[in-house]
């Protein structure tokens, strides 16, 4: 998201805050800018899916003795498109495809191996 888009969204949010709670939109602009800026750093993960191999994505929150990683699934199973905020994610297509990992930091993605992720949570 460009700086001008961030500012346009921040002013719109500030105006909505002023309309709802009273006061001037200038009073709400600083907080609105923080909110919009925090939500502007997303990475869109797009995976090609098929009827036989629906896609899935999960945020990794730690290590698990039973499954290897503790995961929180993101969005709908099978969609193939997710907006990811900062964090470590595991994604794949169909059953048994769990060897894909991505680290998202400030809207930029780094694709890594499972050993790198295990070291992060060790």
């Amino acid at each position: 998201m460009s700086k001008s888009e961030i500012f346009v969204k921040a002013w719109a949010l500030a105006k909505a805050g002023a309309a709802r709670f009273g006061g001037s939109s200038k009073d709400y602009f600083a907080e609105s800018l923080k909110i919009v800026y925090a939500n502007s750093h997303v990475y869109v993960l797009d995976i090609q899916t098929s009827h036989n191999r629906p896609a899935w994505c999960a945020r990794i929150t730690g290590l698990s003795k039973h499954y290897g990683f503790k995961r929180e699934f993101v969005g709908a199973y099978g969609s193939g498109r997710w907006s990811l905020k900062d964090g470590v994610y595991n994604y794949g297509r169909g059953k048994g495809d769990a060897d894909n990992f991505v680290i998202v930091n400030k809207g930029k993605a780094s694709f890594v191996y499972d050993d790198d992720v295990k070291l992060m949570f060790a």
Side-chain angles (χ1 to χ4, degrees), residues 92-115:
R93 294 185 308 156
K95 282 188 167 183
D97 185 13
D99 296 327
N100 305 301
F101 297 90
V102 62
I103 298 172
V104 177
N105 186 16
K106 296 183 180 177
K108 306 248 188 283
S110 301
F111 296 89
V112 296
Y113 295 103
D114 61 341
D115 292 336

Side-chain angles (χ1 to χ4, degrees), residues 21-85:
F21 301 110
S24 170
S25 59
K26 293 177 186 177
D27 300 333
Y28 295 91
F29 181 71
E31 283 302 314
S32 298
L33 187 58
K34 290 176 188 175
I35 292 168
V36 172
Y37 185 75
N39 291 322
S40 68
H41 294 301
V42 295
Y43 174 77
V44 177
L45 178 63
D46 201 359
I47 302 172
Q48 185 176 4
T49 63
S50 68
H51 178 69
N52 296 335
R53 296 189 62 165
W56 54 269
C57 182
R59 182 182 178 104
I60 298 175
T61 59
L63 297 176
S64 168
K65 289 181 182 179
H66 190 269
Y67 297 107
F69 296 106
K70 291 181 186 173
R71 302 180 293 179
E72 297 173 357
F73 285 89
V74 179
Y77 177 78
S79 70
R81 186 175 182 93
W82 300 274
S83 296
L84 307 178
K85 295 186 178 186

